[in-house]
Amino acid sequence: MDVQLTVNGETTRLDVEPRRTLADALREDLGLTGTHLGCEHGVCGACTVLVDGAPARACLMFAVQADGADVTTVEGLQDDDGGLHPLQEAFVAHHGLQCGFCTPGMLLTAAHLLETHPDADRETIRAEMAGNICRCTGYQGIVDAVQAAGRDQSRSST
Amino acid sequence: MKCAPFDYVRPSSVEEAVTTLRQAAGDGKILAGGQSLVPVMAMRMARPSVLVDVNRIPGLSSVEVDARALRVGALTRHALLEAQDEHPLLAEAAGWIGHTAIRTRGTAGGSLAHADPSAELPVVAVATGATVTVAGPDGLRELDAADLFTGMMTTALADDEMITSVRFPRPDRWGFAEFARRHGDFALVTAVVTGFGDGLRVTLGGVSAAPVRAHAAEEVLAGGGTARDAAQAASQEIEPTADLHGSVPFRRAMAAEMVRRALARVGPGE
């Protein structure tokens, strides 16, 4: 099936089998391997991307369903000069990652979280990030990173 | 962990969706939010030959409020139910569904049609006496939520029928309590207390194949009994089964505690 979607600002056309998940289309057809696949049935959160600005499990959506949608992957977080997103900087600074497998999903969930809850406290961060599983960090560093990025964001916006 | 092949149909009307389901002769499935269907397809526990994607059908996401109820289109996402303030019980319950990335996609109609006994919306539907509007080859019909759930993940919907909207009456008073092992997990027990005029209804999820009213607990309350007595009655009248998440005594104890908590949260009438 013919699908047209905008990924990280670029509009592309794809010919995909209906059963192709959005995650597989991003990775295999578009070469955007930043989106990771952990469980492939909606539990681990590693494949989280933004679809029309809202976080979605890319393994639970078929690429054909994203026809006409605007998708943001972790590759789309970097700034125009290729520099890291403030959230990525914060993850580095606060030990928000170790092996990095869950990190793309964490970052996109966190990006949406800071957009919808600019003043999120630790409890809110934990609740909102609970759909993303990390087996390395113990989460403490992730919460620290998101909180720090949120603080920087509200400082620079005032 | 990849789905088996299927034909994908994207109808632009309810009539077209129903016709497609009819032609699939029992081997078709509605694809709404996909948050329950796609996992079971990925695990090959389901392999429908036709998926009918209803996401582009206009009018299925509408939300209407009247004095007595909130009527939501079948495609209404959990995130929207969580954000609205016209039906606070529904908002509270929706917030307990999965995680944000699940709630942005999952739909009200899908949750009811999937009929997971541990899911939040089926319990709220029974607790509020919701009316479900269903489209089929002969047009629309309405049925009570209590009649929709016929067993474990089984509904009264025919193979060529689809839910188009659900009308959730707004209770005068309500209380909601849920116990899950981890944030976002399916409930082990959900208790919903609703008051419409006189008396209180007690409805439980996660303790049997479908949401159940705890009539004995309701009678205790009607007779002026305490919340603790009602909770005890509820825990004794249910017939939970043991699984790896909890034994029968554990589920009974959790049911009692959730009923007690839900009752404690029932606010005064408006």
Side-chain angles (χ1 to χ4, degrees), chain B:
Chain B
M1 299 308 285
K2 307 287 183 195
C3 301
F6 54 83
D7 290 331
Y8 174 82
V9 184
R10 190 190 288 158
S12 50
S13 71
V14 170
E15 293 73 22
E16 199 187 324
V18 168
T19 305
T20 310
L21 284 174
R22 195 172 168 80
Q23 285 161 352
D27 208 14
K29 271 278 182 196
I30 300 260
L31 174 62
Q35 302 301 291
S36 300
L37 176 62
V38 180
V40 297
M41 286 176 66
M43 291 184 271
R44 303 274 175 125
M45 287 152 65
R47 41 195 313 167
S49 61
V50 181
L51 275 198
V52 184
D53 182 354
V54 297
N55 282 277
R56 311 282 169 122
I57 298 179
L60 284 183
S61 307
S62 62
V63 175
E64 295 161 33
V65 195
D66 63 42
R68 307 242 303 275
L70 189 72
R71 187 188 192 95
V72 303
L75 264 186
T76 308
R77 313 283 166 181
H78 304 322
L80 195 146
L81 294 180
E82 183 187 11
Q84 56 80 31
D85 51 15
E86 300 288 350
H87 198 305
L89 165 58
L90 205 46
E92 169 76 21
W96 283 81
I97 302 172
H99 307 283
T100 300
I102 304 287
R103 296 193 291 270
T104 57
R105 300 286 310 158
T107 68
S111 176
L112 295 190
H114 188 62
D116 190 308
S118 299
E120 287 79 5
L121 294 189
V123 194
V124 173
V126 172
T128 56
T131 309
V132 182
T133 303
V134 175
D138 303 323
L140 298 178
R141 69 177 175 122
E142 291 197 332
L143 73 167
D144 290 338
D147 298 327
L148 175 68
F149 307 111
T150 53
M152 182 71 79
M153 293 171 152
T154 317
T155 65
L157 296 174
D159 290 337
D160 53 5
E161 285 186 315
M162 66 173 278
I163 296 173
T164 56
S165 69
V166 190
R167 184 178 183 276
F168 291 96
R170 300 199 276 185
D172 306 318
R173 300 179 292 158
W174 61 274
F176 180 98
E178 174 170 320
F179 177 74
R181 289 282 188 192
R182 290 167 305 190
H183 189 98
D185 275 11
F186 273 107
L188 283 182
V189 178
T190 301
V192 180
V193 175
T194 42
F196 293 90
D198 291 338
L200 289 172
R201 286 183 200 171
V202 180
T203 312
L204 291 166
V207 300
S208 55
V212 282
R213 289 272 295 276
H215 293 290
E218 293 172 5
E219 279 166 31
V220 169
L221 294 169
T226 65
R228 198 164 288 277
D229 290 341
Q232 194 56 33
S235 78
Q236 291 311 308
E237 69 183 295
I238 55 173
E239 291 174 18
T241 50
D243 59 23
L244 84 163
H245 301 296
S247 64
V248 169
F250 177 75
R251 277 179 197 264
R252 284 194 197 281
M254 282 303 113
E257 177 60 15
M258 292 308 115
V259 168
R260 195 192 64 73
R261 288 185 194 180
L263 281 168
R265 288 169 192 167
V266 173
E270 283 173 14

Side-chain angles (χ1 to χ4, degrees), chain A residues 59-78:
Chain A
C59 73
L60 294 188
M61 207 173 155
F62 297 110
V64 288
Q65 291 182 277
D67 194 14
D70 194 346
V71 178
T72 305
T73 69
V74 68
E75 288 90 346
L77 284 182
Q78 63 181 7

Side-chain angles (χ1 to χ4, degrees), chain A residues 84-143:
Chain A
L84 292 180
H85 185 276
L87 262 169
Q88 291 172 308
E89 301 275 12
F91 268 61
V92 172
H94 296 273
H95 190 63
L97 74 156
Q98 188 172 314
C99 83
F101 196 88
C102 71
T103 312
M106 289 284 179
L107 288 168
L108 289 159
T109 302
H112 177 260
L113 160 65
L114 291 184
E115 200 184 302
T116 51
H117 304 76
D119 304 316
D121 57 16
R122 292 184 76 83
E123 201 181 327
T124 307
I125 293 170
R126 282 189 174 278
E128 287 292 313
M129 302 293 293
N132 293 69
I133 294 173
C134 172
R135 311 204 78 165
C136 303
T137 63
Y139 302 101
Q140 201 68 27
I142 293 172
V143 179

